Amino acid sequence: MSSSELAVSVRDVSKTYYIAPEAGRHSTIAETLVHRLRHPFERARKDIFQALTNVSFDINRGEIVGIVGRNGAGKSTLLKILSQITEPTSGEIKLYGRVGSLLEVGTGFHPELTGRENVYLNGAILGMSRTEINRHFDAIVEFAEISKFLDTPVKRYSSGMYVRLAFAVAAHLEPEILIIDEVLAVGDASFQKKCLGKMGDVAKGGRTVLFVSHNMTAVNQLCTQAIMLANGQVVKNGETTQVVTEYLKTGSEAGGEHAWTDANLAPGNDKIRLHAVRVVSRDEVTPEVDIDREISIEVDFWNLLPDNKNLCVNIYLLDAIGTVILSTANTPKSNSLPDDWFEHAHPAGLYRAVCTLPANFLNEGQHHISIYVVSLGPVVVHASALQVVSFNVFDTGAMREAGGTQWDGVVRPRLPWRTRLLQSTDKDVATPATSLTKSG
């Protein structure tokens, strides 16, 4: 592949961090000096953390590439190296063009400067002239939706306003390579949609986008290629749906249940902690579900503070390639049978929220569950676990009579059908006295 086709070339990149153990740290310079005087020949011991190991890949110009992986896989380290925030310990990176990055909320912003001033500051950091920034200034402000607060210091901005302005600057100042981290998750749903559309426009203009996200639906819709990282290494690189399928398959708990026995280590905060997520069918926890049977999804969580109110458990069900099939929550307006607990204060304790899917609803294949526990008014996410449990729906054969192959679609309910003879052209055939019915 010629360099004219390449946007990014990564060869055998590794990143090693040396971490001093807690026992060897001192809170003051005086303590450090005293320790060195008392132990002059002691060698400082350092723990080694290998964030990346021999990572290699190429990205062509105009491609949108998704980078996926669990927390701690090395995604953020890789993006910081690509953004030239830090250098690799070994290996080589070649970037063919100017890079624009959005890795953390407010990266590159000065809190004391106004939104207007930070647009020019960010543009200068990206190597843009004042004339170029002026040409795009109105589009940036319109996209970010912050015109009322343009001359307000950004230290007074909400995290959503930070993200809107930071993304608008990074996307509109025409970098040849645009690097976007999961920071977009801070914005609301409508702004995320607008950002995804803008990234698509950037790629259509011949520029390159690297997109890191845990939102597999967005990765599937936006990216043509994907790279999966695990333990600091590339474990799969190729067509997006194949990479996402592998990512979801290896990430979800295969036994039909994931539990956190220690509340301090469980997903959540000082108000809510997850305890367990499980799939139940025929009164058993199972990863294999008969298509003819109900499926119950149980979510156990600790409520750590008394009188928490309007707690809402959200379940997102994804198919094998990360498409969200359905989302449901235990709010009164979203259920035919309201949840008794929703509008009442929750005493501190362990709770179980259960949602039951009807039999003959999901199609065959692998499914994944994501969980969010939030409070409403305003919405605050207290705990989340993405693609935490998987289960497989299998067919007993009842609906394969006609063709013998799997039916298309993500859901496959048995629906009522009715067939009637409206008019016969054969005088020898008597009209049936009753209509024919079939469920399928």
Side-chain angles (χ1 to χ4, degrees):
M1 185 182 301
S2 66
S3 60
S4 62
E5 298 174 344
L6 284 176
V8 179
S9 178
V10 177
R11 287 289 173 271
D12 296 320
V13 166
S14 297
K15 182 63 177 180
T16 304
Y17 290 99
Y18 297 94
I19 306 170
E22 288 290 337
R25 296 179 184 173
H26 303 284
S27 58
T28 65
I29 295 176
E31 289 180 0
T32 303
L33 290 173
V34 169
H35 181 86
R36 298 304 294 169
L37 290 171
R38 289 178 177 175
H39 308 278
F41 301 106
E42 180 185 69
R43 297 183 65 182
R45 183 174 64 86
K46 295 181 179 180
D47 293 331
I48 296 176
F49 173 66
Q50 195 70 32
L52 295 174
T53 305
N54 298 328
V55 171
S56 297
F57 58 84
D58 291 326
I59 297 175
N60 289 337
R61 295 183 185 276
E63 285 189 336
I64 305 182
V65 178
I67 300 178
V68 302
R70 301 289 160 181
N71 291 334
K75 304 186 302 297
S76 295
T77 301
L78 176 61
L79 294 195
K80 288 177 181 178
I81 292 174
L82 291 174
S83 301
Q84 299 175 308
I85 294 173
T86 187
E87 294 183 352
T89 305
S90 61
E92 181 183 48
I93 287 180
K94 292 183 179 180
L95 302 170
Y96 298 91
R98 184 167 49 203
V99 177
S101 302
L102 182 55
L103 304 185
E104 297 176 5
V105 175
T107 299
F109 280 10
H110 193 294
E112 300 296 335
L113 298 181
T114 66
R116 183 189 304 274
E117 291 166 336
N118 272 294
V119 170
Y120 284 93
L121 174 63
N122 259 233
I125 292 172
L126 288 173
M128 309 296 291
S129 68
R130 191 174 184 85
T131 301
E132 289 176 291
I133 299 171
N134 286 337
R135 187 168 68 247
H136 296 284
F137 187 85
D138 290 342
I140 291 171
V141 174
E142 181 181 358
F143 190 94
E145 303 170 6
I146 59 146
S147 57
K148 292 182 179 179
F149 309 99
L150 187 58
D151 293 307
T152 300
V154 297
K155 66 181 180 182
R156 299 197 179 101
Y157 283 15
S158 67
S159 58
M161 293 167 66
Y162 254 115
V163 170
R164 290 201 299 271
L165 183 57
F167 179 86
V169 172
H172 284 82
L173 294 184
E174 299 183 348
E176 283 79 16
I177 303 167
L178 180 60
I179 299 175
I180 304 294
D181 202 352
E182 188 65 57
V183 66
L184 287 184
V186 177
D188 57 33
S190 61
F191 183 73
Q192 289 180 36
K193 185 176 181 180
K194 187 161 72 168
C195 289
L196 294 175
K198 182 62 179 177
M199 283 191 278
D201 294 340
V202 168
K204 289 176 184 176
R207 290 177 281 163
T208 306
V209 179
L210 277 71
F211 179 48
V212 170
S213 180
H214 287 103
N215 184 338
M216 293 302 105
T217 300
V219 172
N220 268 318
Q221 291 176 348
L222 186 68
C223 304
T224 54
Q225 298 288 312
I227 298 169
M228 177 179 168
L229 294 178
N231 299 317
Q233 296 178 297
V234 175
V235 294
K236 195 168 184 64
N237 183 358
E239 196 269 328
T240 302
T241 55
Q242 295 177 0
V243 175
V244 168
T245 300
E246 182 68 20
Y247 167 73
L248 293 174
K249 185 189 302 182
T250 57
S252 294
E253 191 75 21
E257 180 178 25
H258 189 108
W260 298 268
T261 55
D262 187 345
N264 295 318
L265 301 178
N269 56 20
D270 59 350
K271 294 183 178 180
I272 301 293
R273 293 280 180 177
L274 287 175
H275 175 52
V277 180
R278 64 182 67 87
V279 177
V280 176
S281 183
R282 296 185 179 183
D283 298 323
E284 293 182 353
V285 176
T286 177
E288 298 290 333
V289 178
D290 186 332
I291 204 167
D292 290 332
R293 299 288 177 173
E294 286 186 344
I295 305 169
S296 291
I297 301 172
E298 298 181 353
V299 181
D300 295 353
F301 63 94
W302 285 287
N303 177 39
L304 303 177
L305 298 179
D307 301 326
N308 271 337
K309 196 175 181 181
N310 290 347
L311 289 179
C312 178
V313 179
N314 294 261
I315 294 173
Y316 281 68
L317 191 64
L318 297 77
D319 66 7
I321 62 171
T323 302
V324 177
I325 299 171
L326 65 85
S327 58
T328 182
N330 65 334
T331 57
K333 293 183 179 180
S334 63
N335 298 289
S336 56
L337 297 174
D339 191 322
D340 293 336
W341 271 106
F342 176 74
E343 293 181 330
H344 297 279
H346 288 57
L350 181 63
Y351 290 81
R352 174 171 296 167
V354 182
C355 176
T356 300
L357 304 178
N360 300 301
F361 175 65
L362 296 176
N363 204 347
E364 298 174 74
Q366 194 81 6
H367 297 79
H368 309 274
I369 297 171
S370 292
I371 301 296
Y372 300 86
V373 182
V374 307
S375 56
L376 302 183
V379 176
V380 177
V381 178
H382 297 294
S384 63
L386 305 183
Q387 299 99 39
V388 65
V389 170
S390 68
F391 64 95
N392 185 60
V393 176
F394 65 90
D395 187 6
T396 56
M399 291 182 67
R400 290 195 174 188
E401 300 155 338
T405 58
Q406 180 173 339
W407 292 57
D408 293 331
V410 293
V411 294
R412 204 191 72 179
R414 290 192 175 185
L415 303 173
W417 281 65
R418 178 175 297 156
T419 302
R420 293 184 296 163
L421 178 61
L422 299 179
Q423 182 178 358
S424 175
T425 58
D426 187 345
K427 296 180 179 179
D428 295 330
V429 177
T431 302
T434 59
S435 62
L436 303 174
T437 61
K438 180 181 179 181
S439 293

